[in-house]
Amino acid sequence: MAEALRPFRLRGCGGPQKFGVAAGSLRGLLRKGCRLLQLPLAGSRLCLYEDGTELTESYFRALPPQTELVLLGPGESWRGCASDIERLLAAFCSQQGAVVEAARRLLTDERAPRRQKLLADLIHNLSENILAEDKEDDKKWFEGLESRFKNKSSYLRHSCESRMRGYMREVSGFISNVHPAARDAYRGIIDLMTDKLKSVKYNGCYFDRREEEEAARLCTAEGWFSCQGPFDRDDCPCKHSINPYSNRESRILFSTWNLDHIIEKKRAVVPELAEAVKTRDGREVNWEYFYQLLFTLDNLKLVHIACHKKTNHNLSCDKTRIYRKRKQTHEIS
């Protein structure tokens, strides 16, 4: 039995024109939309206009008629209504300074809370200078920072390096809890991890938009970072996103986001490492496995502070990866 057709409002991400399209399934709507907007079916997808949520078949069936959707071609992205706002602001970029000044004058006389919020948001959005990288091109972004930072990526890279150095200090500081007979071996592993971190510049590339291959695992184009959700979810329920390169306020707010260890650093990883060194009994501790859990995106998720749960994650290390076989050397007689 054929699915009953339901009407939707469909548009592409490159323009405001909307089309009425009726379909009974997500696949059918996608096929019709691609034909209408002349996009290839392969790699195209549908999302909500409001917040950019990508549709699945089950989600599609729950949508009410006349829902506004955006059809994305291969490589295109949509962040919800903000994408339309950005396009509008870009059209008036030549008058940006005058608009900001006018909004600030209105804000000084405005008393209605909702209008105050709208004006403040307008000023915030118009103050964005996402593409600027060097200090000379966005001096306000660098206010309050040390003079040694000459571009935005260098500061964000330094911020990430500082987090990694902090993690290493916690690992090193745990040595007082290690069995005395195992402390030398524990120090040896710390030295190996430190050398590894130094060789990759403390993974500062994670927050450097110029290091595309690594940064892409956390952020999208032009430095947009998305909350990856609490440890027990695959996505962020509130769809938090931020671009710390846009303006000073966003840069400061981004410092409150957390790199959350899925398998917890303090409760699980570091104590398990100490125990592994103590009970190794001739076996070789797989320090690289612990390194991955402590310092890499294999076990780290970027989360908004509201999504960072302080409760016990109740996750443990993989017992089969704590030790590894020693490399055997064979003498030739």
Side-chain angles (χ1 to χ4, degrees):
M1 182 176 177
E3 296 278 358
L5 299 181
R6 290 183 297 142
F8 296 92
R9 289 178 294 162
L10 186 65
R11 57 179 286 182
C13 72
Q17 188 175 6
K18 302 172 187 176
F19 303 89
V21 181
S25 67
L26 176 62
R27 183 69 178 175
L29 182 59
L30 186 61
R31 191 184 300 111
K32 289 182 178 181
C34 287
R35 191 161 53 243
L36 180 67
L37 298 178
Q38 298 183 336
L39 290 173
L41 184 60
S44 293
R45 59 209 188 280
L46 288 161
C47 68
L48 292 181
Y49 167 79
E50 183 179 351
D51 60 11
T53 301
E54 192 167 330
L55 300 189
T56 62
E57 188 65 52
S58 59
Y59 195 2
F60 168 80
R61 294 179 188 279
L63 291 176
Q66 300 298 341
T67 299
E68 188 168 347
L69 305 173
V70 178
L71 176 60
L72 301 175
E76 293 180 331
S77 62
W78 184 261
R79 296 185 296 102
C81 306
S83 296
D84 261 351
I85 295 172
E86 286 175 356
R87 188 182 298 111
L88 174 64
L89 295 179
F92 292 98
C93 62
S94 61
Q95 304 175 35
Q96 180 173 315
V99 174
V100 170
E101 184 57 34
R104 283 181 174 147
R105 285 199 300 269
L106 286 172
L107 189 57
T108 58
D109 297 327
E110 184 57 62
R111 294 293 178 266
R114 289 185 179 179
R115 292 179 183 173
Q116 286 180 335
K117 180 68 166 60
L118 286 172
L119 287 169
D121 287 346
L122 175 63
I123 292 170
H124 175 80
N125 290 328
L126 284 173
S127 299
E128 289 186 347
N129 196 358
I130 292 173
L131 296 180
E133 171 67 15
D134 297 328
K135 189 172 184 177
E136 292 75 14
D137 299 322
D138 193 355
K139 292 182 179 180
K140 189 173 180 60
W141 191 93
F142 291 85
E143 288 181 4
L145 300 182
E146 296 178 37
S147 59
R148 62 192 175 100
F149 297 114
K150 304 301 181 184
N151 56 62
K152 295 178 181 179
S153 289
S154 67
Y155 173 75
L156 270 296
R157 192 166 56 245
H158 164 78
S159 178
C160 183
E161 291 173 7
S162 297
R163 298 187 193 205
M164 296 298 169
R165 290 176 188 273
Y167 298 159
M168 178 53 78
R169 284 193 295 272
E170 291 183 53
V171 178
S172 301
F174 196 80
I175 195 167
S176 60
N177 299 299
V178 178
H179 191 278
R183 286 177 183 172
D184 285 344
Y186 188 85
R187 289 191 186 94
I189 288 177
I190 290 175
D191 291 341
L192 291 170
M193 288 183 174
T194 301
D195 290 343
K196 176 73 172 178
L197 271 177
K198 287 179 179 178
S199 72
V200 294
K201 300 180 180 178
Y202 289 88
N203 288 327
C205 58
Y206 288 166
F207 292 154
D208 186 341
R209 62 177 165 182
R210 296 180 302 182
E211 298 284 348
E212 295 181 2
E213 184 176 344
E214 288 296 336
R217 296 179 65 186
L218 281 175
C219 68
T220 56
E222 297 181 351
W224 278 99
F225 289 85
S226 297
C227 174
Q228 297 172 316
F231 75 92
D232 55 350
R233 294 178 60 104
D234 293 327
D235 60 351
C236 168
C238 299
K239 306 300 178 187
H240 295 119
S241 65
I242 193 170
N243 192 326
Y245 300 91
S246 61
N247 52 43
R248 180 173 177 268
E249 182 180 346
S250 293
R251 185 255 296 171
I252 294 172
L253 286 175
F254 187 61
S255 67
T256 68
W257 286 42
N258 293 283
L259 271 176
D260 190 17
H261 287 84
I262 304 170
I263 302 175
E264 294 172 281
K265 175 178 77 271
K266 291 182 179 179
R267 291 190 177 107
V269 181
V270 178
E272 188 69 67
L273 173 60
E275 182 65 19
V277 174
K278 174 187 172 184
T279 59
R280 66 191 187 280
D281 193 25
R283 294 172 292 182
E284 183 178 355
V285 175
N286 186 4
W287 67 269
E288 290 176 319
Y289 169 60
F290 288 99
Y291 174 90
Q292 290 174 346
L293 295 181
L294 290 166
F295 305 110
T296 76
L297 298 182
D298 290 351
N299 191 47
L300 287 168
K301 295 178 71 173
L302 183 65
V303 295
H304 186 280
I305 188 171
C307 293
H308 187 219
K309 295 186 177 180
K310 297 290 187 179
T311 56
N312 196 325
H313 293 188
N314 294 316
L315 297 173
S316 58
C317 302
D318 184 349
K319 299 293 184 183
T320 66
R321 300 185 64 187
I322 291 176
Y323 299 103
R324 62 185 175 192
K325 293 182 179 179
R326 290 183 180 275
K327 295 180 181 178
Q328 296 182 352
T329 56
H330 301 280
E331 293 184 2
I332 301 177
S333 58

